[in-house]
Amino acid sequence: MKILAIETSCDETAASVVEGKGNKLKVLSNVVSSQIEIHKKYGGVVPEVAARHHVLNIIPVIKEALAKANITLPLLDKERVGVRSVGKKNPIDAIAVTAGPGLITSLIVGAETAKALAFAWQKPLVAVNHIAGHIYANWLPSQNQASTIKFPAVVLTVSGGHNLLVLMKKHLDLKTIGDTRDDAAGEAFDKGAKLLGLGYPGGPAIAANAALIKNEELKIKNLGVASQQSIKFPRPMINDNNFDFSFSGLKTSLLYALPKDKNWQKRIADYAHEYQQAIIDVLIKKTIKAALHYKVKTVLLAGGVSANKELRQQLAEAVAKNCPQVAFHCPDLAYTTDNATMIGSAGYFKFKAGQTISPDKIKINPNWQL
Ligand code: KG4
Ligand code: ZN
């Protein structure tokens, strides 16, 4: 079966077509129109600006996703075609859309478009939780497709808006066992980058600067100084007897450290490296602790921060070292930050479980908890 998936919860207008059979998914198209360049100048996402761009982008993005999947269908603009005739030859079996959490005005654009298409095409609709979408990116085809994911699994799902440890005993059974008390890891990356003058989004900028530390020659060429490893930031809540996180204190440590160091602008790579490592250390320690406590068979990584190469590599190494019997899996880079393919993946499993919704019943929820 084929699913058209739509994602507009933040600043990416995205549409994909995925094909599902059994527990296997095939990606027929993955179109993401990013607004990063637009929001960069404001230092973060401006909700009303994001919503306006979603309105402009949504139909062209859906058309492109259908075309790339070799599907030609009338949409709802110029070509109005009788519902029944479209329904008959329409290869799309269902429409999946992000219904929350996210920015209310952005969510509305995707949900209303999905609703209109579901009405016109007479197809079932699946409302998908954005975080569940990130988690289900793990079921998309990937380069390290060595193993099928076995339950129970623990998922570290980290992005700009959320920071959760989730226990999965079976499909669609998503139980939050750990959360952040304040900032999410992605938010910590973004706020830290702002303090270091590295711009938005902060994660890739901090990661790129931190990587210079690994290559001393490159660092000297770029920064004109040799490495000084004296900077040390706290690892908040790392030894606490729970699976929760807290990252706002880390950001405050950076805020206080910079004015005390006259040379900080020459040592951005040092600061970025230590700041990133502090976040990674806490994320890994808590994930391994959860994996051992719940005796899981698989550790999964998800969310925008899972694009971080150091996090991917260090978590894989930590799983291999601390629980060698446990498998580790993370999505391909293309499906780590916001995209609609992950929504199609979660949508497919929900559809299989009969969790569809009639178009007039769909409600967006900007604070939808897992
Ligand atoms: O999942 P996502 O695209 O949007 C939300 O659902 O929030 O995640 C965006 C977050 C941002 O905070 C961004 O800085 C972070 O993911 N991010 C990264 C990297 N790429 C994106 N963080 C660390 N390292 C990266 N390479
Ligand atoms: Zn996201």
Side-chain angles (χ1 to χ4, degrees):
M1 68 164 297
K2 291 190 177 112
I3 294 192
L4 168 67
I6 299 171
E7 152 67 41
T8 62
S9 68
C10 191
D11 59 341
E12 258 94 29
T13 320
S16 298
V17 179
V18 299
E19 188 171 12
K21 211 177 191 185
N23 272 357
K24 287 236 162 12
L25 282 146
K26 199 169 154 191
V27 182
L28 302 187
S29 63
N30 175 46
V31 179
V32 182
S33 168
S34 172
Q35 300 177 16
I36 283 181
E37 287 307 315
I38 296 161
H39 297 281
K40 230 177 197 167
K41 54 179 178 281
Y42 306 109
V45 179
V46 183
E48 297 313 315
V49 174
R52 233 173 291 148
H53 281 89
H54 285 311
V55 172
L56 294 174
N57 295 338
I58 189 78
I59 296 297
V61 164
I62 292 175
K63 277 188 167 168
E64 193 181 334
L66 291 171
K68 283 195 168 146
N70 285 323
I71 297 170
T72 1
L73 277 177
L75 277 166
L76 295 175
D77 44 5
K78 285 174 199 143
E79 316 123 287
R80 287 180 171 252
V81 179
V83 165
R84 271 191 212 97
S85 65
V86 174
K88 265 184 202 156
K89 58 185 177 197
N90 189 341
I92 297 292
D93 299 290
I95 298 167
V97 65
T98 308
L103 303 170
I104 185 164
T105 44
S106 289
L107 288 165
I108 285 173
V109 180
E112 289 301 315
T113 309
K115 193 165 143 182
L117 288 174
F119 262 129
W121 293 347
Q122 303 241 297
K123 298 291 176 186
L125 199 54
V126 188
V128 174
N129 179 295
H130 180 81
I131 305 169
H134 275 300
I135 292 172
Y136 269 89
N138 279 286
W139 275 268
L140 291 168
S142 72
Q143 278 168 357
N144 63 347
Q145 205 165 16
S147 57
T148 44
I149 297 164
K150 291 201 183 102
F151 296 119
V154 71
V155 196
L156 171 66
T157 171
V158 268
S159 76
H162 66 269
N163 196 112
L164 303 175
L165 271 170
V166 174
L167 180 67
M168 279 183 89
K169 289 189 178 158
K170 57 182 187 314
H171 271 300
L172 303 176
D173 177 13
L174 305 169
K175 187 177 163 226
T176 299
I177 54 168
D179 201 345
T180 180
R181 304 262 172 103
D182 38 60
D183 294 350
E187 204 175 346
F189 270 107
D190 293 339
K191 288 177 175 171
K194 212 173 207 172
L195 294 174
L196 290 167
L198 296 176
Y200 173 86
I206 290 204
N209 277 275
L212 298 175
I213 290 292
K214 291 238 152 159
N215 186 337
E216 201 61 21
E217 250 175 58
L218 192 68
K219 180 172 175 274
I220 291 168
K221 185 168 150 256
N222 276 273
L223 304 170
V225 288
S227 173
Q228 302 167 52
Q229 289 290 2
S230 59
I231 303 159
K232 194 80 190 153
F233 289 132
R235 270 66 175 155
M237 294 181 72
I238 195 161
N239 291 319
D240 286 15
N241 195 21
N242 54 43
F243 301 113
D244 286 342
F245 303 88
S246 162
F247 289 111
S248 74
L250 179 60
K251 169 202 65 196
T252 311
S253 302
L254 178 64
L255 175 72
Y256 288 152
L258 295 182
K260 288 189 195 142
D261 181 353
K262 276 191 249 116
N263 282 325
W264 75 264
Q265 268 132 330
K266 287 188 178 161
R267 304 182 63 202
I268 286 177
D270 284 321
Y271 280 99
H273 184 266
E274 170 59 9
Y275 191 80
Q276 171 176 277
Q277 196 54 50
I279 296 172
I280 291 176
D281 283 350
V282 182
L283 293 176
I284 290 182
K285 182 89 186 268
K286 294 266 166 149
T287 307
I288 297 294
K289 190 173 160 181
L292 294 170
H293 181 84
Y294 289 99
K295 300 184 174 55
V296 302
K297 293 189 174 140
T298 316
V299 169
L300 303 173
L301 180 60
V305 179
S306 73
N308 189 286
K309 289 195 179 126
E310 280 299 318
L311 174 61
R312 293 162 81 91
Q313 198 177 321
Q314 292 184 32
L315 183 54
E317 285 164 10
V319 172
K321 186 173 162 222
N322 297 287
C323 28
Q325 72 288 5
V326 173
F328 171 71
H329 189 274
C330 56
D332 277 357
L333 282 179
Y335 308 124
T336 52
T337 47
D338 289 351
N339 64 87
T341 309
M342 67 186 199
I343 303 302
S345 176
Y348 172 66
F349 284 93
K350 284 191 84 170
F351 180 89
K352 274 210 313 167
Q355 296 179 21
T356 58
I357 183 168
S358 122
D360 57 325
K361 294 270 160 38
I362 188 167
K363 278 205 181 80
I364 55 153
N365 179 357
N367 301 311
W368 189 2
Q369 308 280 313
L370 257 192

